Amino acid sequence: MTPYNSAQSSDYSPSQDTAANTPSNTEAKVNPEAVTSTLANGALNNEDPNNDWQTSSPQTADIKTDHFDTDNSIDLASILTPYYRPDEQTIVCGALDEEKVQALAKAGVELVVNLQPDEELSFDEGAAVTQAGMAYEQLAINGAADLKQLKILAFDNILRQYQGKKIAMHCKSGGRVGAATALRAGWLRGRKMETAMARGYSHGLTKMLEQETHERLLVPR
């Protein structure tokens, strides 16, 4: 298979892929029987294609834009590493610690989505997040092999529950968040390859998972 060339991708858009649902404290649940029909029929593909915005290169996705006004004067770009800001309501970053959790809370974040398994965590992240007054969802993705349809449907379900909320998503480096976002755009939103990959870049997709993400977009599994 020809290696994916990220230079081919020229557009990406913010994560406006959610449908209005009321947030709940229950775990995201997926009906396995619905996977095939959902992916095949694009049942969740209710976006307006005109919402996509463009830039000259996906590599500009991690520009440290000043969001002091919307983050209660908290300089998240100097605290979180790496730091991606695809839109005003979405933050993508690497692994958290207690100091970073407090910074997110002060910046007005309402939900933290963690894609790391427990064995990668250095502290009780769930307790720290909830004690700081934010909602917490953990969806462990153990590397490239775990980027499966059921995981992406669960990821989509979490984001749909918290539509309109200010969220922070993270893994160890942001790469798994970017890959999950790209697959969500392609599998569940019917985006073309270039747009799905570019959306992944804007949410932290790196070279490490680029080829795997591209291949999974071509052949869902």
Side-chain angles (χ1 to χ4, degrees), residues 113-220:
V113 180
N114 171 25
L115 300 190
Q116 291 183 272
D118 286 337
E119 54 266 28
E120 290 186 16
L121 304 180
S122 60
F123 71 115
D124 189 342
E125 182 175 315
V129 169
T130 55
Q131 288 172 9
M134 299 177 286
Y136 182 71
E137 296 281 355
Q138 182 179 17
L139 179 66
I141 295 181
N142 292 283
D146 214 18
L147 290 168
K148 301 175 181 178
Q149 295 173 359
L150 282 175
K151 290 281 187 175
I152 302 307
L153 282 168
F155 180 63
D156 177 72
N157 191 38
I158 291 171
L159 298 185
R160 286 162 60 85
Q161 287 184 58
Y162 292 91
Q163 185 270 337
K165 302 297 183 181
K166 188 172 184 177
I167 67 173
M169 300 185 286
H170 83 89
C171 54
K172 190 173 183 178
S173 66
R176 279 169 278 185
V177 176
T181 300
L183 294 174
R184 180 182 185 236
W187 288 349
L188 304 184
R189 294 291 177 267
R191 296 305 193 192
K192 62 184 180 179
M193 176 67 73
E194 292 80 3
T195 301
M197 290 295 292
R199 184 161 298 181
Y201 293 126
S202 74
H203 288 70
L205 179 62
T206 59
K207 291 288 186 181
M208 183 174 295
L209 289 175
E210 179 182 71
Q211 186 67 28
E212 181 70 25
T213 301
H214 179 259
E215 292 177 0
R216 286 176 182 268
L217 284 169
L218 289 173
V219 184

Side-chain angles (χ1 to χ4, degrees), residues 14-63:
S15 55
Q16 299 175 351
D17 300 326
T18 52
N21 285 287
T22 302
S24 70
N25 293 324
T26 59
E27 294 183 0
K29 297 182 179 180
V30 175
N31 178 5
E33 297 178 357
V35 175
T36 302
S37 60
T38 298
L39 297 174
N41 299 325
L44 302 180
N45 185 15
N46 55 5
E47 293 182 299
D48 177 1
N50 294 323
N51 283 342
D52 285 343
W53 55 292
Q54 299 183 343
T55 187
S56 59
S57 169
Q59 274 65 41
T60 63
D62 61 346
I63 291 176

